[in-house]
Amino acid sequence: MDSRILKGFGIFLVVFILVVGGMIFWDNLNKVEVLKEDHISDVTFDENKKNIYIFWGNGCAHCEHLKEYLTENSKLWKNDYQIFAFETWKDEENAQLMDDVLALMGKENEGTPTVIIGDEVLVGYGDDMQEDYEAAFQSEKENDYDVIKVYQEQ
């Protein structure tokens, strides 16, 4: 009887490890790299997806929190959007791009992170802003405005 209990426990343990391992693997498979170090030459336009532009600073705590939020909640945006992220604290070209596209939109640079979704500009990130981001993901799906496209056409 002891050997049957041990054998049953062993089978349970193997199944448990496979299930938990599979869940961890699946979760990591669906995660998306969010804050890369893109440049304007990296921007592409996909007729099936809109672009989100993130201007962020390397070492910015709010930017890191935004990255965690977007990574953990990629299901909210990854089917409808692609993200291009421009590091602005160390990259002067990206800092100038940020100023230029914000000016084109009639906005001023208020710091990082600055997120542009369609014609919506969100500045900063905190848990209290999650609803603002989610609303922008929903409302801007049908908006064809793309500030980088307009910037490049000047």
Side-chain angles (χ1 to χ4, degrees):
M1 187 150 169
D2 289 335
S3 66
R4 288 183 12 206
I5 291 173
L6 285 175
K7 184 177 179 182
F9 179 74
I11 291 172
F12 168 78
L13 190 59
V14 168
V15 169
F16 178 78
I17 290 170
L18 289 173
V19 168
V20 170
M23 290 170 53
I24 292 169
F25 173 76
W26 184 255
D27 188 48
N28 286 330
L29 183 67
N30 288 317
K31 289 197 176 172
V32 178
E33 184 180 356
V34 177
L35 296 186
K36 305 170 295 221
E37 294 193 22
D38 290 320
H39 291 90
I40 195 163
S41 60
D42 298 316
V43 174
T44 59
F45 302 99
D46 180 334
E47 63 185 56
N48 298 315
K49 290 187 175 189
K50 309 291 183 192
N51 288 350
I52 295 174
Y53 303 107
I54 301 175
F55 295 92
W56 63 284
N58 189 353
C60 164
H62 292 292
C63 300
E64 281 300 314
H65 292 291
L66 174 64
K67 175 183 178 179
E68 290 168 13
Y69 166 74
L70 292 172
T71 300
E72 291 171 8
N73 295 283
S74 63
K75 66 184 177 297
L76 295 173
W77 58 267
K78 74 177 183 177
N79 292 329
D80 300 305
Y81 297 97
Q82 55 185 358
I83 290 181
F84 295 94
F86 305 94
E87 197 290 321
T88 61
W89 286 7
K90 294 182 168 80
D91 189 313
E92 290 180 28
E93 282 182 38
N94 284 346
Q96 186 62 53
L97 175 65
M98 178 181 179
D99 290 340
D100 291 347
V101 297
L102 288 171
L104 192 60
M105 298 178 79
K107 306 280 185 184
E108 290 187 23
N109 183 342
E110 296 181 42
T112 59
T114 293
V115 180
I116 301 174
I117 307 171
D119 59 6
E120 181 92 25
V121 178
L122 298 161
V123 180
Y125 179 77
D127 290 340
D128 60 328
M129 293 183 70
Q130 288 180 2
E131 287 182 12
D132 298 331
Y133 279 91
E134 290 168 19
F137 295 145
Q138 287 302 313
S139 68
E140 296 300 316
K141 282 182 189 178
E142 304 305 319
N143 187 345
D144 287 332
Y145 182 76
D146 188 302
V147 70
I148 297 292
K149 193 178 280 187
V150 173
Y151 176 79
Q152 290 177 329
E153 291 172 354
Q154 291 189 73

